[in-house]
Amino acid sequence: MDSLRIEATSCSPLIDFDAEAGTLRIEGESYPENSFDFYAPVFSWLEDFLKEPAPAVVLDIGLSYLNTSSIKCLIDVLEMLDTANAQGRPASVRWHYDRDNDRALDMAEEFKEDVTLPFDILAR
Amino acid sequence: MSRWTVPRGTTEMSAQERRLLDWVQRLEETGDNAGHPLMEEFRTLAAEHRKLMRQLTKIATISDRMHTDSRQMAQVLHAAAQTDPLTQLPNRRHMIERLESELGRIARHGGSFTLVMVDIDHFKAINDAFGHAVGDTALVETARILRQNLRGHDLCARWGGEEFLILLTETDQEQAKTVAEKLRRLVDDHRMRVEGRDIHITLSLGIAAHRPDWTADACIQAADDALYAAKRAGRNRWAA
């Protein structure tokens, strides 16, 4: 399966999904004009990827700003992984936040709250 | 985990969620609904509905955090954009905004204000003789003296290189002369010890009371003209 890479812009994050290694990375700021359009290829890639038998999946997230529709998209991404994890496909999340920003930590906790897969919140 | 146990996390169950749960329970307890083949479908639908409710609350909570964060950052930036980094005095932009709002206030409610344009005498000579670091320290010290000897509702801004502009609210020309003389004397009497040297600086000040038909620019120009009159008259003095 092909990997997925979308370069970052000033208003959209880097998407770097390596199918072979099972490492997924979302990094930057997310307030594209149309979040649902932006994340559509992410969803379809993930859907295909999670269908195939493959090694454990690790999602690294480093997002410092998300608009409301991006929050919705990210919750959906987490839910896809959470479902896969519950069905026996090991998946985990590492959330990287800026240690100088207390609110960034609170926000990570909010994302973590409703999923059951391993979810590490790491200061950087 | 049964479908109806309270999900993990700190978010409390909303009244809306509670109503949904009660609804499902009521249906199950009515007649022989519990065994009806559609009951399972209904439970699944209700669970999906509840999941969406929770997700909506979650999205709103996270989004609120983002907004609070951005608002606070905007406030910090706004404050920084209005402050002179060297002296920590309000900057020119801040003074212009305040002057406009003061003019608006006077137009509506009457009253007056006076501007005092202040310039450090022979500042270039201090810079040339002792270097820019000493010049900067002299600016910071002067700014401190000016600010500490004005009332809380007056505004002292760094207007340009070695120029300060003071807005004295509810002050007429005669009162402003007293303030200008006080500031002139305080700086003249002060000895700044910078890097082992005694630096003596003096101020020239130009006073202009606002007149009813004046624009902000006209007030500033009048204070500037008075300042140059003080300079021409020999410096270390004020003119009105």
Side-chain angles (χ1 to χ4, degrees):
Chain A
M1 176 171 179
D2 286 343
S3 289
L4 174 71
R5 191 176 165 97
I6 304 170
E7 295 301 331
T9 71
S10 62
C11 60
S12 65
L14 164 76
I15 304 289
D16 190 6
F17 289 0
D18 185 333
E20 211 145 298
T23 54
L24 321 178
R25 201 150 76 89
I26 305 179
E27 178 92 41
E29 300 203 337
S30 185
Y31 54 101
E33 204 161 310
N34 189 330
S35 301
F36 301 109
D37 279 355
F38 177 80
Y39 284 99
V42 174
F43 289 129
S44 55
W45 188 93
L46 262 181
E47 209 166 295
D48 291 345
F49 175 68
L50 292 171
K51 264 187 231 147
E52 293 183 5
V57 191
V58 181
L59 171 62
D60 279 290
I61 301 173
L63 287 169
S64 53
Y65 180 83
L66 297 111
N67 65 5
T68 309
S69 48
S70 296
I71 294 168
K72 160 73 178 155
C73 291
L74 196 63
I75 286 178
D76 289 343
V77 166
L78 291 174
E79 219 144 81
M80 284 171 88
L81 289 180
D82 200 35
T83 307
N85 186 63
Q87 291 167 353
R89 170 75 171 275
S92 60
V93 175
R94 288 190 300 221
W95 185 290
H96 305 271
Y97 76 98
D98 177 4
R99 67 171 75 246
D100 296 334
N101 188 347
D102 292 342
R103 223 183 312 278
L105 174 60
D106 290 346
M107 198 180 66
E109 299 279 1
E110 287 289 344
F111 278 106
K112 179 178 179 173
E113 199 180 52
D114 277 355
V115 292
T116 53
L117 82 178
F119 195 119
D120 290 326
I121 300 175
L122 308 163
R124 63 173 172 194
Chain B
M1 187 171 96
S2 136
R3 187 177 293 139
W4 297 121
T5 48
V6 177
R8 56 198 229 109
T10 52
T11 315
E12 276 178 37
M13 196 187 297
S14 66
Q16 217 179 0
E17 270 183 285
R18 172 55 63 196
R19 273 202 301 280
L20 183 69
L21 298 190
D22 289 347
W23 190 12
V24 175
Q25 197 176 1
R26 224 169 37 242
L27 270 176
E28 277 181 318
E29 286 168 357
T30 308
D32 53 358
N33 273 356
H36 194 282
L38 276 178
M39 196 60 221
E40 190 51 36
E41 292 290 310
F42 185 76
R43 281 194 207 98
T44 310
L45 264 177
E48 273 302 308
H49 183 76
R50 184 170 177 224
K51 198 172 112 186
L52 277 175
M53 275 189 210
R54 292 189 59 82
Q55 207 189 64
L56 180 64
T57 311
K58 171 123 310 203
I59 291 167
T61 308
I62 297 172
S63 187
D64 284 354
R65 284 190 197 284
M66 282 288 173
H67 276 109
T68 309
D69 222 17
S70 309
R71 282 301 308 154
Q72 287 179 349
M73 209 178 292
Q75 280 162 9
V76 169
L77 286 176
H78 181 71
Q82 299 230 317
T83 306
D84 169 52
L86 177 67
T87 60
Q88 295 301 313
L89 286 180
N91 63 13
R92 194 179 179 111
R93 183 203 307 260
H94 189 167
M95 175 57 94
I96 290 169
E97 278 178 22
R98 173 71 186 277
L99 209 46
E100 293 294 349
S101 79
E102 194 71 10
L103 283 169
R105 189 182 65 80
I106 284 173
R108 280 192 308 278
H109 307 294
S112 66
F113 65 83
T114 296
L115 291 181
V116 183
M117 186 71 85
V118 182
D119 190 273
I120 299 178
D121 294 327
H122 299 300
F123 184 72
K124 189 174 175 303
I126 297 172
N127 265 340
D128 289 348
F130 307 112
H132 285 281
V134 173
D136 283 355
T137 310
L139 282 170
V140 172
E141 276 280 283
T142 306
R144 183 184 58 77
I145 294 170
L146 296 180
R147 189 176 40 217
Q148 281 178 356
N149 290 284
L150 292 167
R151 298 167 301 180
H153 50 268
D154 295 328
L155 188 77
C156 177
R158 183 165 180 208
W159 189 248
E162 68 268 27
E163 264 187 336
F164 302 91
L165 184 58
I166 300 169
L167 170 69
L168 302 169
T169 52
E170 292 306 319
T171 305
D172 62 26
Q173 182 126 332
E174 290 310 308
Q175 293 164 318
K177 287 176 182 173
T178 314
V179 176
E181 174 54 24
K182 180 176 91 171
L183 296 175
R184 187 207 61 77
R185 186 176 40 75
L186 280 166
V187 172
D188 194 17
D189 289 348
H190 186 69
R191 288 296 173 274
M192 298 183 193
R193 196 103 190 119
V194 186
E195 292 176 9
R197 295 189 188 85
D198 272 329
I199 312 276
H200 175 221
I201 67 173
T202 58
L203 301 179
S204 294
L205 308 95
I207 301 164
H210 167 255
R211 292 188 197 165
D213 53 339
W214 277 6
T215 61
D217 283 342
C219 298
I220 295 165
Q221 189 59 53
D224 219 23
D225 292 345
L227 168 65
Y228 279 92
K231 290 270 182 196
R232 276 197 308 275
R235 296 186 169 82
N236 193 18
R237 69 192 65 218
W238 51 264

